[in-house]
Amino acid sequence: MPTIIALDVSLSMTRPVPIPGSGSSSGSNAGASDDGLTYGQLAVHGINAILDYLTKHSRMEFVSLIIYSSMLEVLVDFTRDYDAIRQALHKIDHYDKTNLEAALVAVNNMFKTHWGSQNYCQIIFVTDCGVGMGPSSLKNTIINLQNCKVQAGPAGVGGLKIPVSDNQWVGFSYPSKLTFMCLGNLADLSFKFGTKLYQQLLDVSGQNGQIFIPKLKSLSIEDPIVEEGDDSGGRQMNRRCIQDIFENMCEQNYKQFEATLRCGGYFRLEGAIIIWPAPLPYTAKDLLGAETTRIISRKLEVCGFISLSDIGSPMSVSRHLILPRCDGDKRLSAKDSNLTAEEKLENDIKGFYAKPDGASGGGDDDDGHSGGDGTRESVCVMLHGALKVENMAALVLLNDNWYGFIYSYADGKKKSNLMLNVLPPGNDVVPWLGDLRYLGNLDDAFPGENPSFPIKADKRSYSQNIVVWIRQAGLQSDIQKVLRHAKKLPEKTQHFYKELNRIRRAALSLGFIELLEGLAHIFEREAAMLGPSSSPDCSIQLKHAANELRKPSNRDLKAVIQAMPTKYNQVG
């Protein structure tokens, strides 16, 4: 789940933070260290708080730091080296006015270039709620968004496409959460007006987002905190209140998804795990357009095991890492009110069998388990080792009628991890496996039943020689292969026409008729540039192939271009 931190470096961020009227002597002494701070310095302090939180709780987050005013600059590209971001914060310069829309457009393009349109992104803007001036002002951006919604109609009925310029932002095309960290005092009318426009931007654009405003704190002990809605100007914005709102934002946006993984029969192995990144709610639409949102359960149940070769590459919703939860690796206590009677009995049995021989009851834990965390079994370690050695995956029940696979995945040669592949909800989402509810062991097969699994068709309905031209390099490679065969005529006559017909059929299937004329030009040019050492048959076949490519009769997929018989080859 990558994170983009965008820091406002407009000139307004260089303003000193207003200091309230002098109060008691104790209050003035307490705030001496915060006197003379600028909004930019408080913003840097808040970004350091984000990095400290990620270092402690989520070191696997990729973070990028950018600065923006009327232009945008990427200071640190996506990285897990948070120290590099901290060092870049000390080299920030301030520029001209704020242009939030240009920053949103640049962030959108930047993320899609690095991560595509399927990944989830956290976008955090740290600003003093400047609204800009002129055509690039925030108010103008909101008006353009409202006009786009009016022209498109409700929910874009009719597929009406609104022309959008490259510098206009109409929302993010990928799953994201847009957060604005607003530094200021609501007693300031300009700041209060800016926060309303920022909230209006979130409402009009329909983005999943939130605005955070500091809870200003007093320097005196008698009146420590003022709520967000209080417009009183007697409190000061200092490092302490900035630390609080940034930590509050991190706790909401980067909350870990903690669950319990269970494996086995009645005497189950179970362990506390963390699923990273946190799985998002899955929203599906039925035929009538009604939306249904589902979330993964906090209790994952291993149903069985299946070979990776049998699973193949099914369509998945998302992929996540499974990590053991060290601080929370505690068995469910029998005192837990949420446990059923059967689960309480199961806990008691586990606690009894977990006691070492001759152990007294006084040294046991409250939940009936003895020993420290280092002596307890880890389901993640056991499952990861078994799946890696056996080259298998575990079928996991994520919720009612919702499945996934857990398998060992190696990102490099040195380290492998336990990965969760979330399938779409349903029991028949992997066609070649059938209904996942009816999968069984090989011992359950009837006598004489074919044990091979999954069932493979004798004849495939698609060609084995698949042509892929997603990138320019693939097309160039196929053309160069044909030319290499052409230069080795007459020995490679059959190979030359085989590759030529393959490219011709692919071009006709894709409607890429221009490629046929282009190939004809290439063959004619190559025939004219042949050296004296080349065979005469090479020039003859190249000219013949160019003429055949231009014939309308060869635009049929069933037609085949044949080689011209000559005295230099054995064709015909």
Side-chain angles (χ1 to χ4, degrees):
M1 188 169 58
T3 297
I4 298 177
I5 301 177
L7 174 60
D8 187 357
V9 292
S10 59
L11 291 177
S12 61
M13 294 290 287
T14 61
R15 295 175 300 153
V17 178
I19 300 175
S22 58
S24 62
S25 59
S26 61
S28 60
N29 293 333
S33 61
D34 288 337
D35 292 348
L37 284 176
T38 64
Y39 286 93
Q41 291 172 339
L42 288 179
V44 170
H45 180 71
I47 294 175
N48 281 318
I50 297 176
L51 299 177
D52 293 339
Y53 186 92
L54 295 180
T55 301
K56 184 177 180 181
H57 297 93
S58 187
R59 291 186 57 87
M60 303 184 69
E61 286 285 343
F62 282 95
V63 180
S64 176
L65 175 64
I66 64 177
I67 57 176
Y68 72 96
S69 54
S70 61
M71 302 294 291
L72 183 137
E73 179 184 355
V74 180
L75 289 186
V76 182
D77 209 345
F78 289 101
T79 180
R80 289 175 177 168
D81 185 6
Y82 301 150
D83 291 334
I85 301 178
R86 291 188 178 95
Q87 294 174 6
L89 289 173
H90 298 291
K91 305 175 183 178
I92 292 176
D93 295 326
H94 290 268
Y95 301 96
D96 52 357
K97 63 180 181 179
T98 301
N99 187 348
L100 182 61
E101 184 172 11
L104 291 169
V105 171
V107 166
N108 187 30
N109 296 333
M110 171 188 172
F111 182 80
K112 288 194 296 184
T113 301
H114 286 79
W115 299 91
S117 300
Q118 301 298 324
N119 289 280
Y120 184 85
C121 182
Q122 294 272 6
I123 304 170
I124 304 172
F125 278 81
V126 185
T127 177
D128 61 346
C129 288
V131 297
M133 297 178 293
S136 61
S137 65
L138 181 57
K139 188 174 183 179
N140 209 32
T141 301
I142 295 174
I143 293 175
N144 292 334
L145 285 171
Q146 291 174 337
N147 291 337
C148 286
K149 283 185 172 291
V150 170
Q151 295 179 33
V157 176
L160 179 61
K161 295 183 179 179
I162 307 302
V164 178
S165 64
D166 295 337
N167 297 325
Q168 184 177 350
W169 181 73
V170 292
F172 298 118
S173 59
Y174 45 82
S176 62
K177 184 171 185 180
L178 181 58
T179 303
F180 290 106
M181 307 302 297
C182 302
L183 309 182
N185 187 349
L186 288 176
D188 185 358
L189 295 180
S190 61
F191 176 76
K192 189 173 184 179
F193 175 73
T195 56
K196 290 181 179 179
L197 283 182
Y198 276 76
Q199 183 62 53
Q200 189 177 358
L201 174 69
L202 292 177
D203 297 337
V204 172
S205 62
Q207 295 294 312
N208 177 24
Q210 191 174 357
I211 288 179
F212 288 85
I213 301 174
K215 293 182 179 180
L216 303 187
K217 298 189 176 182
S218 174
L219 301 178
S220 63
I221 301 176
E222 292 81 5
D223 193 12
I225 300 177
V226 64
E227 296 298 330
E228 293 181 6
D230 193 351
D231 291 343
S232 174
R235 278 77 175 178
Q236 181 180 359
M237 185 172 59
N238 50 28
R239 288 190 177 95
R240 187 176 62 173
C241 65
I242 294 300
Q243 183 86 15
D244 290 344
I245 65 162
F246 275 85
E247 288 181 354
N248 182 28
M249 182 273 298
C250 290
E251 289 175 358
Q252 293 187 31
N253 291 4
Y254 297 97
K255 187 176 182 180
Q256 295 179 340
F257 189 90
E258 300 176 353
T260 302
L261 180 62
R262 294 181 173 181
C263 179
Y266 180 76
F267 188 72
R268 298 173 178 171
L269 293 174
E270 67 179 35
I273 61 172
I274 296 174
I275 301 178
W276 186 91
L280 300 175
Y282 182 84
T283 302
K285 291 185 178 180
D286 57 14
L287 297 177
L288 300 178
E291 293 186 352
T292 303
T293 302
R294 306 186 62 180
I295 58 174
I296 293 178
S297 172
R298 297 284 178 171
K299 295 181 180 180
L300 310 185
E301 187 81 27
V302 176
C303 303
F305 303 92
I306 187 171
S307 175
L308 286 176
S309 59
D310 294 338
I311 296 175
S313 300
M315 182 182 68
S316 60
V317 174
S318 58
R319 293 191 302 172
H320 310 267
L321 286 175
I322 293 183
L323 307 171
R325 196 174 75 212
C326 300
D327 57 343
D329 191 16
K330 299 179 181 180
R331 308 303 196 281
L332 292 174
S333 174
K335 300 177 183 179
D336 195 337
S337 59
N338 295 327
L339 295 180
T340 63
E342 292 78 6
E343 289 175 329
K344 292 180 181 179
L345 177 60
E346 185 179 347
N347 251 6
D348 293 339
I349 296 175
K350 288 182 180 181
F352 175 79
Y353 282 105
K355 293 180 180 179
D357 295 338
S360 61
D364 295 341
D365 295 338
D366 293 338
D367 58 354
H369 287 63
S370 61
D373 289 341
T375 61
R376 293 173 177 170
E377 73 280 357
S378 174
V379 179
C380 289
V381 175
M382 181 272 297
L383 196 60
H384 177 261
L387 296 178
K388 184 177 180 181
V389 172
E390 299 295 334
N391 199 26
M392 300 184 75
L395 179 65
V396 184
L397 182 63
L398 305 177
N399 210 326
D400 295 338
N401 201 27
W402 194 1
Y403 296 89
F405 288 110
I406 294 179
Y407 57 96
S408 174
Y409 174 77
D411 195 9
K413 295 183 179 180
K414 295 183 178 179
K415 187 178 181 181
S416 59
N417 303 286
L418 205 59
M419 186 76 72
L420 170 64
N421 194 8
V422 179
L423 300 174
N427 50 42
D428 198 7
V429 292
V430 186
W432 51 91
L433 294 182
D435 197 327
L436 297 178
R437 297 174 300 176
Y438 302 142
L439 291 178
N441 298 324
L442 186 61
D443 300 335
D444 299 333
F446 294 105
E449 190 175 6
N450 185 10
S452 62
F453 181 81
I455 300 174
K456 298 181 180 180
D458 296 334
K459 294 183 179 180
R460 298 173 185 256
S461 59
Y462 52 88
S463 173
Q464 293 295 311
N465 299 324
I466 301 174
V467 179
V468 180
W469 290 336
I470 297 177
R471 298 182 179 178
Q472 184 178 0
L475 178 58
Q476 291 178 347
S477 177
D478 286 343
I479 295 176
Q480 290 171 357
K481 185 177 181 181
V482 174
L483 294 178
R484 285 197 302 269
H485 291 325
K487 294 178 180 179
K488 296 180 181 179
L489 295 173
E491 291 83 5
K492 296 289 185 177
T493 301
Q494 293 183 353
H495 296 82
F496 170 75
Y497 281 96
K498 179 181 178 181
E499 292 298 324
L500 177 61
N501 284 296
R502 185 172 70 92
I503 294 178
R504 185 187 61 85
R505 284 194 299 268
L508 292 174
S509 300
L510 298 174
F512 195 3
I513 308 300
E514 296 83 0
L515 178 61
L516 304 182
E517 183 63 28
L519 276 177
H521 283 297
I522 292 175
F523 290 160
E524 290 175 346
R525 186 183 62 181
E526 290 293 330
M529 296 176 59
L530 290 174
S533 60
S534 301
S535 171
D537 191 49
C538 185
S539 176
I540 296 173
Q541 297 297 339
L542 285 173
K543 293 179 181 179
H544 169 69
N547 294 331
E548 291 294 322
L549 286 173
R550 291 192 175 100
K551 289 183 178 180
S553 59
N554 286 325
R555 299 294 170 87
D556 187 2
L557 284 172
K558 297 180 180 179
V560 178
I561 298 178
Q562 301 290 346
M564 176 181 287
T566 63
K567 63 178 180 180
Y568 304 102
N569 56 45
Q570 302 297 324
V571 178

